[in-house]
């Protein structure tokens, strides 16, 4: 019987990754317990071992790109990870009482971190890079694309579900003359968002989306659906429908997965986004039935790779100023988060979708606008 190390070496060879090799994506082992941790606990064991400095890779994003592109992760399905799948099936991890956990854990950890890491507008979702030279321009193009897809006109009233620091609302109010209402579960986002949008027709509400019950000309949700959870997809679409006027449009921007399994990544769920869950096309499609007509579907998931790499570059550059607020373990955790996700998008293991939806279908059809 082969040892854990021998088995991992055989697996990694299929992904062109060597143990203690001399290439940037090779895995440098500092403690042999890494192999048992990875085999018994999957990405949770691998991530915690990395945080504990038990292994390294010079180019962590390339390590994950090669790992995930090869598909070898499907050969390791430890029984202990079944618990995470069962947990999401049995319990509603995104109930109203639990929905606030991600706000407190992730978004409220400090605006200094996000101000340093993100673009000038503080957009914490995938940028649009087709004609952009840097992350500031790519995020501006994404916001402009969203406004065009929604067909915004002066005087319209727009709802932003999961509005963050108000980047979309600020852009839409300044450039399209619309009024905006945004809901978020983060106190820190409301505080900074209100400051950034001062003087604009923009309203922030510290509120769970399920409490919304008023109509808007347009509805948008950028990067919030990943926190909804499959048990709540129908309820979420019910809320979006009752808030969208009959002749209105709803733009849903979400990360997506290729297969409709229910297991959230245990490391991401524990350290980054509590109770998060990435949907599949079929799960979204089922939730849309008898509610919305899909007018447009746009996948630009490869752009998230560039976005995450830009975020890491900003974070790494700002670390000398940030490290007084965080410790070394946080740095390695955040690096692992940003670069492992970049590798996953590069490998096309996960996607980024924009859906344009209408309550009854647009008479005459809908054409996707260009920048």
């Amino acid at each position: 019987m082969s040892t854990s190390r021998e088995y991992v070496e055989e697996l990694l060879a299929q992904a062109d990754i060597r143990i203690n090799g001399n290439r940037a994506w090779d895995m440098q082992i500092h403690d042999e317990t890494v192999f048992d941790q990875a085999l018994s606990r999957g990405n949770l064991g691998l991530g915690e071992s990395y945080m504990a400095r038990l292994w390294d890779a010079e180019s962590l994003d390339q390590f994950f790109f090669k790992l995930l592109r090869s598909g070898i992760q499907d050969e390791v399905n430890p029984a202990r990870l079944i618990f995470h799948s069962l947990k999401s099936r049995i319990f509603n991890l995104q109930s109203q009482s639990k929905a606030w956990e991600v706000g407190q854990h992730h978004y409220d950890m400090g605006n200094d971190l996000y101000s340093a890491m993100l673009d000038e507008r503080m957009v914490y979702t995938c940028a649009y890079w087709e004609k952009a030279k840097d992350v500031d321009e790519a995020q501006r193009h994404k916001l402009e694309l969203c406004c065009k897809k929604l067909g915004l006109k002066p005087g319209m009233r727009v709802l932003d579900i999961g509005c963050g620091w108000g980047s979309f609302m600020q852009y839409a109010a300044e450039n399209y003359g619309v009024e905006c209402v945004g809901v978020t579960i983060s106190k820190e986002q409301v505080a900074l968002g209100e400051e950034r949008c001062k003087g604009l027709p923009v309203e922030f509400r510290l509120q769970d989306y399920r409490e919304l019950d008023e109509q808007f000309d347009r509805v948008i949700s950028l990067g919030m659906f990943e926190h909804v959870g499959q048990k709540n997809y129908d309820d979420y679409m019910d809320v979006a429908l009752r808030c969208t006027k009959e002749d209105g449009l709803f733009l849903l921007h979400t990360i997506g997965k290729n297969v409709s399994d229910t297991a959230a990544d245990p490391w991401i769920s524990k350290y980054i986004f509590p109770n998060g869950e990435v949907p599949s096309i079929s799960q979204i499609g089922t939730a849309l039935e008898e509610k919305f007509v899909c007018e447009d579907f746009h996948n630009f998931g490869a752009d998230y790779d560039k976005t995450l790499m830009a975020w890491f570059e900003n974070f790494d550059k700002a670390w000398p100023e940030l490290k007084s607020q965080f410790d070394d373990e946080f740095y390695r955790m955040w690096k692992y988060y940003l670069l492992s996700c970049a590798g996953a998008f590069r490998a096309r293991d996960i996607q980024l979708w924009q859906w344009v939806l209408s309550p009854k279908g647009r008479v005459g059809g809908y054409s996707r606008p260009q920048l």
Side-chain angles (χ1 to χ4, degrees):
M1 182 179 292
S2 64
T3 65
S4 295
R5 177 180 178 130
E6 289 170 338
Y7 180 54
V8 171
E9 280 186 314
E10 290 174 7
L11 283 174
L12 292 179
Q14 298 176 46
D16 188 32
I17 299 171
R18 298 173 192 153
I19 300 296
N20 297 329
N22 58 7
R23 299 166 302 177
W25 59 85
D26 286 331
M27 196 177 188
Q28 307 303 317
I29 302 299
H30 308 309
D31 189 306
E32 294 283 319
T33 61
V34 168
F35 304 114
D36 285 333
Q37 289 290 324
L39 290 174
S40 64
R41 299 194 298 140
N43 193 37
L44 182 58
L46 192 65
E48 290 185 340
S49 298
Y50 181 83
M51 289 163 62
R53 291 184 168 274
L54 304 187
W55 70 277
D56 272 298
E58 182 185 338
S59 178
L60 201 59
D61 53 300
Q62 277 294 90
F63 168 82
F64 276 100
F65 163 69
K66 287 183 168 291
L67 185 76
L68 295 171
R69 190 68 180 176
S70 72
I72 63 170
Q73 71 277 8
D74 297 331
E75 298 184 33
V76 182
N77 187 25
R80 289 181 64 180
L81 296 185
I82 294 174
F83 168 73
H84 297 283
S85 176
L86 290 175
K87 187 169 69 171
S88 66
R89 286 194 178 109
I90 296 170
F91 303 109
N92 184 355
L93 300 178
Q94 299 83 10
S95 64
Q96 260 183 287
S97 61
K98 287 183 171 292
W100 295 83
E101 290 180 9
V102 69
Q104 296 161 1
H105 179 89
H106 190 84
Y107 297 106
D108 285 345
M109 72 170 58
N111 288 325
D112 289 347
L113 169 64
Y114 295 110
S115 295
M117 183 181 85
L118 303 177
D119 65 300
E120 60 189 358
R121 296 177 182 273
M122 291 187 70
V123 186
Y124 196 18
T125 50
C126 182
Y128 188 63
W129 288 85
E130 184 177 11
K131 298 177 181 177
K133 62 182 183 298
D134 58 37
V135 70
D136 287 339
E137 188 174 37
Q139 291 291 17
R140 186 169 68 253
H141 287 182
K142 191 271 296 295
L143 296 176
E144 178 66 16
L145 183 64
C146 291
C147 290
K148 286 183 178 296
K149 284 183 176 183
L150 286 170
L152 296 187
K153 292 181 174 59
M156 282 185 172
R157 198 156 175 262
V158 181
L159 171 65
D160 188 343
I161 304 175
C163 62
W165 295 274
S167 55
F168 172 80
M169 297 194 295
Q170 182 181 10
Y171 185 89
E174 288 176 341
N175 294 279
Y176 283 84
V178 297
E179 298 178 13
C180 298
V181 172
V183 296
T184 176
I185 53 172
S186 167
K187 294 178 182 178
E188 291 288 329
Q189 288 184 335
V190 169
L192 184 57
E194 287 181 339
E195 182 183 322
R196 292 172 65 92
C197 295
K198 201 168 185 178
L200 293 172
V202 169
E203 177 189 352
F204 285 84
R205 297 179 186 172
L206 191 63
Q207 182 182 33
D208 186 278
Y209 71 91
R210 281 162 280 218
E211 298 171 359
L212 289 163
D213 190 12
E214 57 189 287
Q215 288 209 311
F216 296 83
D217 299 293
R218 300 290 188 264
V219 178
I220 190 167
S221 186
L222 300 171
M224 181 270 183
F225 196 69
E226 301 90 333
H227 303 304
V228 169
Q230 61 166 331
K231 286 185 174 294
N232 305 300
Y233 291 161
D234 283 340
D235 289 343
Y236 177 92
M237 292 301 174
D238 284 338
V239 171
L241 181 62
R242 74 174 179 241
C243 289
T244 307
K245 288 183 178 179
E246 190 173 302
D247 62 348
L249 291 172
F250 169 40
L251 191 153
L252 177 66
H253 170 117
T254 181
I255 295 170
K257 62 188 177 187
N258 298 328
V259 180
S260 295
D261 59 50
T262 57
D265 181 277
W267 185 86
I268 292 286
S269 186
K270 180 176 180 178
Y271 289 99
I272 307 299
F273 296 114
N275 309 324
E277 192 170 349
V278 175
S280 69
I281 283 182
S282 64
Q283 287 172 333
I284 295 175
T286 299
L288 293 178
E289 285 187 14
E290 299 181 358
K291 297 182 180 75
F292 286 103
V293 172
C294 179
E295 300 285 2
D296 188 60
F297 176 83
H298 187 185
N299 183 352
F300 52 98
D303 284 22
Y304 227 144
D305 173 18
K306 290 184 179 181
T307 305
L308 286 153
M309 294 304 293
W311 288 347
F312 175 70
E313 183 181 348
N314 289 343
F315 167 69
D316 193 49
K317 187 186 298 183
W319 181 246
E321 289 75 46
L322 292 171
K323 65 181 180 181
S324 62
Q325 303 175 47
F326 305 99
D327 58 17
D328 180 66
E329 185 179 73
F330 178 87
Y331 175 83
R332 290 181 69 83
M333 177 188 78
W334 210 251
K335 179 178 182 180
Y336 190 88
Y337 154 50
L338 295 174
L339 296 186
S340 65
C341 287
F345 281 103
R346 194 176 308 163
R348 304 311 306 280
D349 188 62
I350 43 180
Q351 313 301 327
L352 188 286
W353 303 321
Q354 281 193 351
W355 303 64
V356 177
L357 309 168
S358 64
K360 290 194 171 182
R362 299 223 114 186
V363 175
Y366 175 93
S367 296
R368 182 191 302 168
Q370 302 298 315
L371 283 179

